[in-house]
């Protein structure tokens, strides 16, 4: 994308995020990554009258073999953490999520926006106030629920006991002190009780495996008891390849907490494409987490919600064509939201 165009969309983003005169904004990058993001956000912050500077962390000392969440690059640099705690907003171009350093920065009142997706995708999925309203309606419904049940034609039937952990929303910008969001994003989620997820999830071709950034090719049956995966196997008539890959990846961390069930919720952005991985293979798959009517469950850490599990092994798995119930009320019906106020105007 042309740098001037990138500057303009970053200006729109920081305007949504409430940046104003007298504030201080820091752009955080790592090594040589996303230098153009830093330039664009620094320019945008200055246009809004804010002070701004760029904090660049060293590159990782060696190539990581697996995507281990929670490694912020700040663990051995306490002075940098203190600097980030002292500002109004951090634009995170590294992915701090699940790290204790991010939680400390948020606790200090600093708001954080993660921006790591390709510029063209950021432009297409620019947040809107209307989308935020629909996301917040979903969050209100989810926060009141005591149970969530997910079913699918493929055989999924799993129940989450809710109420232990808070409900969080993502709508692509942050204008509230201490709040984190991810651009682009449009979904709501919470977590089941640590021992309160039971049933079976059947992944179907076309469901998404993140961070593999691939689509499921062969059915996978996942059995869950008391909040932990007990079995992963190929579905009927399947070669079992996807099941083998999923199992092997989790095993590689040598951490039994990698089998824990993490957050769960649904997507609301009708502009997001299910086929997005074919367009923007360089991103983290945020478009796939947000596409309208997907039901996404996660495996691994729940410290984002205040839980005890901080394993570095993490999976997000958005699924198509599922149904989701809150306290027996149908909320997502085979991939379609049932509550009119959560639908875009074109679907009401």
């Amino acid at each position: 994308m042309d740098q001037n165009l990138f500057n303009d969309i970053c200006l729109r983003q920081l305007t949504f995020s409430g940046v104003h005169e007298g504030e201080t904004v820091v752009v955080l990058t790592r090594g040589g990554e996303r230098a153009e993001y830093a330039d664009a956000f620094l320019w945008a912050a200055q246009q809004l009258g804010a002070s701004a500077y760029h904090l660049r962390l060293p590159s990782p000392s060696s190539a990581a073999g697996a995507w281990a969440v929670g490694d912020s690059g700040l663990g051995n640099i306490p002075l940098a953490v203190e600097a980030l705690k002292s500002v109004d907003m951090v634009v995170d171009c590294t992915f701090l999520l699940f790290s204790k350093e991010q939680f400390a920065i948020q606790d200090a009142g600093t708001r954080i926006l993660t921006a790591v997706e390709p510029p063209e995708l950021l432009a297409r999925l620019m947040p809107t106030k209307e989308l935020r309203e629909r996301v917040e309606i979903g969050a209100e419904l989810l926060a009141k629920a005591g149970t969530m049940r997910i079913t699918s034609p493929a055989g999924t039937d799993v129940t989450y006991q809710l109420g232990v952990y808070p409900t969080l929303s993502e709508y692509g910008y942050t204008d509230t002190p201490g709040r984190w969001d991810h651009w682009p994003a449009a979904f709501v989620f919470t977590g089941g009780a640590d021992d309160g997820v039971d049933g079976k999830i059947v992944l179907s071709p076309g469901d998404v495996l993140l961070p593999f950034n691939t689509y499921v090719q062969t059915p996978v049956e996942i059995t869950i008891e008391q909040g932990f995966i007990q079995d992963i196997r190929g579905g009927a008539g399947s070669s079992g390849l996807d099941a083998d890959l999923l199992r092997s990846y989790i095993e590689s961390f040598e951490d039994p907490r990698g089998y824990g069930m993490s957050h769960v919720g649904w997507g609301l952005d009708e502009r997001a494409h299910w086929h997005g991985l074919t367009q923007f293979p360089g991103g983290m798959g945020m478009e796939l987490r947000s596409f309208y009517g997907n039901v996404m469950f996660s495996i691994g850490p729940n410290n984002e919600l205040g839980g005890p599990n901080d394993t570095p092994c993490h999976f997000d798995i958005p699924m198509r064509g599922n149904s989701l119930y809150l306290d027996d009320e149908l909320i997502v019906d085979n991939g379609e939201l049932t509550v009119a106020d959560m639908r875009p105007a074109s679907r009401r």
Side-chain angles (χ1 to χ4, degrees):
M1 174 180 287
D2 176 80
Q3 189 67 42
N4 289 330
L5 293 177
F6 198 18
N7 289 349
D8 288 343
I9 67 168
C10 289
L11 177 59
R12 291 174 61 192
Q13 165 59 243
L14 292 190
T15 302
F16 271 116
S17 290
V19 173
H20 59 268
E21 186 174 356
E23 287 200 313
T24 301
V25 176
V26 173
V27 184
L28 180 68
T29 67
R30 199 168 183 175
E33 295 180 345
R34 303 186 178 93
E36 70 276 22
Y37 292 57
D39 290 342
F41 278 111
L42 291 172
W43 178 87
Q46 290 177 306
Q47 301 309 301
L48 295 171
S51 300
Y53 66 91
H54 179 193
L55 179 56
R56 177 183 168 189
L57 301 177
S59 298
S61 57
S62 61
W67 185 52
V69 299
D71 176 11
S72 68
L74 291 167
N76 296 318
I77 318 175
L79 287 177
V81 177
E82 291 304 311
L84 297 177
K85 288 166 63 175
S86 71
V87 303
D88 298 288
M89 181 173 177
V90 173
V91 179
D92 169 27
C93 299
T94 70
F95 198 76
L96 295 175
L97 189 62
F98 299 110
S99 71
K100 62 182 181 180
E101 292 81 23
Q102 169 159 333
F103 302 144
I105 294 165
Q106 288 181 257
D107 288 344
T110 300
R111 61 194 191 272
I112 300 175
L113 178 77
T114 296
V116 296
E117 295 290 332
E120 294 79 8
L121 181 59
L122 297 178
R124 182 161 60 77
L125 297 183
M126 178 64 64
T128 69
K129 293 186 181 300
E130 184 268 344
L131 184 58
R132 174 179 178 169
E133 291 173 359
R134 293 195 281 118
V135 168
E136 290 181 332
I137 289 169
E140 290 176 7
L141 287 173
L142 183 54
K144 297 174 183 176
T147 62
M148 176 191 294
R149 182 185 178 203
I150 303 169
T151 64
S152 77
T156 293
D157 195 343
V158 63
T159 299
Y160 288 72
Q161 302 301 323
L162 307 181
V164 174
Y165 294 116
T167 293
L168 299 183
S169 60
E170 294 184 28
Y171 42 78
Y173 63 98
T174 176
D175 57 0
T176 305
R179 186 178 186 279
W180 171 85
D181 212 311
H182 198 151
W183 177 29
F187 55 90
V188 297
F189 60 96
T190 188
D194 293 337
D195 60 353
V197 185
D198 296 274
K200 181 172 69 172
I201 294 176
V202 181
L203 305 182
S204 298
D207 293 339
V208 187
L209 297 172
L210 305 168
F212 285 0
N213 283 14
T214 60
Y215 296 96
V216 172
Q217 303 290 319
T218 60
V220 180
E221 294 186 1
I222 302 171
T223 302
I224 305 112
E225 295 177 3
Q226 296 185 331
F228 280 81
I229 293 172
Q230 302 300 318
D231 187 55
I232 302 173
R233 66 177 61 193
S238 165
S239 67
L241 176 59
D242 285 298
D244 290 345
L245 288 170
L246 180 58
R247 189 188 315 105
S248 179
Y249 184 85
I250 298 173
E251 288 175 352
S252 72
F253 286 84
E254 299 181 346
D255 184 351
R257 300 173 304 160
Y259 294 92
M261 298 299 286
S262 182
H263 58 79
V264 63
W266 64 91
L268 292 103
D269 195 341
E270 73 285 359
R271 304 169 304 169
H273 298 155
W274 161 73
H275 65 268
L277 291 179
T278 66
Q279 294 178 294
F280 300 109
M284 292 182 60
M286 287 307 296
E287 181 170 24
L288 280 298
R289 292 171 172 89
S290 301
F291 75 84
Y292 182 85
N294 90 78
V295 173
M296 184 176 75
F297 79 99
S298 299
I299 302 168
N302 66 359
N303 55 340
E304 175 189 14
L305 295 163
N309 190 343
D310 62 354
T311 179
C313 178
H314 181 55
F315 259 97
D316 283 342
I317 305 180
M319 302 179 293
R320 298 187 301 164
N322 280 226
S323 296
L324 183 149
Y325 301 79
L326 297 178
D327 295 334
D328 297 325
E329 178 183 355
L330 184 61
I331 302 298
V332 182
D333 183 8
N334 194 31
E336 177 62 61
L337 300 178
T338 65
V339 178
D341 287 344
M342 280 197 292
R343 298 175 181 167
S346 61
R347 293 178 181 250
R348 294 179 186 172

